[in-house]
Amino acid sequence: MQELRERILADGEVIGSQVLKVDSFLNHQIDPVFVMRMGQEIASRFAGEGVTRILTVEASGIAVAMAVGLALNAPLVFAKKSRASTQNDSVYTADVYSFTRKEAVHITVSARYLGKDDVVLIVDDFLAHGEAMNGLVNIVHQAGAKLAGAGIIIEKRFQGGGDSLRAQGVRIESLAAITSMEPGKICFAE
Amino acid sequence: MQELRERILADGEVIGSQVLKVDSFLNHQIDPVFVMRMGQEIASRFAGEGVTRILTVEASGIAVAMAVGLALNAPLVFAKKSRASTQNDSVYTADVYSFTRKEAVHITVSARYLGKDDVVLIVDDFLAHGEAMNGLVNIVHQAGAKLAGAGIIIEKRFQGGGDSLRAQGVRIESLAAITSMEPGKICFAE
């Protein structure tokens, strides 16, 4: 998506060789009109797949998932990062290591909102090493649901998570795929 | 908002006398079309106030803030609940006690995305004891910005946070205000 690549080049901040901050429109401040356009683009790539649920993980994925859910007219479910005292029914769980926060988090989805009759589109803002995505794929399998694939805003392809998932047969659609980056320079896959 | 009160009565689950779960459409699963309608209703109540930024806190507030931001054509900023390693510029901070999670969390907003020229509308899913809202109001003051008010989906009025803020002169608009509740019974203001 050309508009996204231009926005990343204009506003993105590369820290070291591994971290890309896009806090001005996606991860801290959110440009809602632009996020809607990106959600519509992801939705168009999975139109006709019969998606019944959008699955994401709190927090940055929620705005994108909201946009995709509106475009596909499907409810979204966000995995919660810790088990709150208000959540005590039957849940699917996975452990996810965050390279950004340098800690493992436990993510949970209530069995009420994901089941074997669902066709699930996973949506997230970033795909890097694939830790969060593997956890979400695992949860879809626990639910016995069908996985339509994953729609991602920015894939840091050089970190390998996307290719590993593609090798497992998961369809991954990224709106921008970064092949390498360093401060002042970001290279995209065509 | 009549539709919201009906949805709370149909789907809400009261636990003890203090906790209301609305996980089926707002706090875990999100009904994006309904959330858009609620966001538009909040936006209509603050139309003409010249709002330049929507401020919320991760995670459940993000979907509602996205809807309000679309309706008012303003960017949203979500306060982050812990200081990630990618966030190191100048920040506004507040400490917020969560009665749901029974722990205090540190919330932060980058000074890049909130400043003295902003007119801020705070948006959140719940207003209960007012801990999160007080933290967000504090952050608006730290930024030197003007506070237009707060738009809330569900106010648990009997927990006092809203009245305390109104007494400080903060304009609070709630789409549903609960005056008392117990398992099987929820009473709304007017």
Side-chain angles (χ1 to χ4, degrees):
Chain A
M1 195 182 181
Q2 182 62 22
E3 181 185 9
L4 173 61
R5 287 190 291 264
E6 288 170 4
R7 193 81 175 251
I8 293 169
L9 289 172
D11 294 353
E13 188 184 342
V14 178
I15 300 169
S17 59
Q18 304 294 309
V19 175
L20 171 66
K21 280 180 73 167
V22 286
D23 279 5
S24 67
F25 65 91
L26 190 59
N27 290 131
H28 186 20
Q29 179 167 258
I30 293 173
D31 177 339
V33 177
F34 183 41
V35 168
M36 279 297 287
R37 279 198 296 276
M38 294 194 288
Q40 284 157 357
E41 173 64 26
I42 289 173
S44 73
R45 298 191 188 185
F46 289 92
E49 297 289 328
V51 171
T52 63
R53 285 283 192 300
I54 313 298
L55 177 64
T56 190
V57 60
E58 62 182 10
S60 296
I62 294 175
V64 183
M66 171 88 179
V68 177
L70 280 169
L72 290 177
N73 195 26
L76 52 126
V77 177
F78 61 92
K80 299 197 171 191
K81 276 187 178 161
S82 67
R83 191 164 182 155
S85 63
T86 57
Q87 191 180 56
N88 47 31
D89 33 289
S90 175
V91 294
Y92 312 118
T93 68
D95 287 317
V96 170
Y97 182 78
S98 165
F99 284 85
T100 311
R101 292 176 185 269
K102 296 184 179 63
E103 62 184 10
V105 292
H106 193 62
I107 64 172
T108 62
V109 171
S110 167
R112 287 191 194 185
Y113 305 118
L114 206 59
K116 63 181 176 50
D117 296 328
D118 278 312
V119 179
V120 181
L121 173 56
I122 298 173
V123 168
D124 212 350
D125 53 343
F126 271 93
L127 174 57
H129 298 90
E131 298 286 323
M133 188 58 61
N134 280 316
L136 292 170
V137 169
N138 187 330
I139 280 172
V140 173
H141 291 329
Q142 288 175 45
K146 182 183 170 189
L147 179 62
I152 303 296
I153 301 294
I154 302 173
E155 179 183 353
K156 292 191 287 181
R157 192 160 287 171
F158 59 94
Q159 289 173 331
D163 287 341
S164 166
L165 283 152
R166 288 182 184 95
Q168 295 166 45
V170 177
R171 179 179 170 199
I172 308 278
E173 294 282 344
S174 308
L175 300 190
I178 296 173
T179 52
S180 69
M181 63 184 200
E182 59 187 75
K185 187 177 179 192
I186 301 174
C187 298
F188 296 98
E190 61 221 70
Chain B
M1 196 182 181
Q2 182 62 23
E3 181 186 8
L4 173 60
R5 288 190 290 266
E6 288 171 5
R7 193 81 176 251
I8 293 168
L9 289 173
D11 294 352
E13 188 183 343
V14 178
I15 299 168
S17 59
Q18 305 294 310
V19 175
L20 172 66
K21 280 180 72 167
V22 286
D23 279 4
S24 67
F25 64 92
L26 190 60
N27 290 131
H28 185 21
Q29 178 168 260
I30 294 173
D31 177 338
V33 177
F34 182 41
V35 167
M36 280 297 287
R37 279 199 295 277
M38 294 194 288
Q40 286 158 355
E41 173 65 27
I42 289 174
S44 73
R45 297 190 189 186
F46 290 92
E49 296 288 327
V51 171
T52 63
R53 285 283 192 301
I54 314 298
L55 178 64
T56 190
V57 60
E58 62 182 9
S60 296
I62 294 175
V64 183
M66 172 88 180
V68 177
L70 280 169
L72 290 176
N73 196 24
L76 52 126
V77 177
F78 62 92
K80 299 197 171 191
K81 277 187 177 162
S82 68
R83 190 162 182 156
S85 61
T86 56
Q87 190 178 57
N88 47 29
D89 35 291
S90 174
V91 294
Y92 313 118
T93 67
D95 287 315
V96 170
Y97 181 78
S98 165
F99 284 86
T100 311
R101 291 176 186 268
K102 297 185 179 63
E103 61 184 12
V105 293
H106 193 64
I107 64 172
T108 62
V109 170
S110 167
R112 288 191 194 185
Y113 306 118
L114 204 60
K116 64 181 176 49
D117 296 328
D118 278 312
V119 179
V120 181
L121 172 57
I122 298 173
V123 168
D124 213 350
D125 52 344
F126 271 92
L127 174 57
H129 297 90
E131 298 286 323
M133 187 59 59
N134 280 314
L136 293 170
V137 169
N138 187 329
I139 280 173
V140 173
H141 293 327
Q142 289 175 43
K146 182 182 171 193
L147 180 62
I152 303 295
I153 301 293
I154 302 173
E155 179 183 355
K156 290 191 287 180
R157 191 161 287 170
F158 60 94
Q159 288 173 331
D163 287 341
S164 166
L165 283 151
R166 287 183 184 95
Q168 295 167 43
V170 177
R171 179 180 170 201
I172 308 279
E173 293 282 345
S174 308
L175 300 191
I178 296 172
T179 53
S180 69
M181 62 184 200
E182 59 187 76
K185 188 178 177 191
I186 301 173
C187 297
F188 295 99
E190 71 218 69

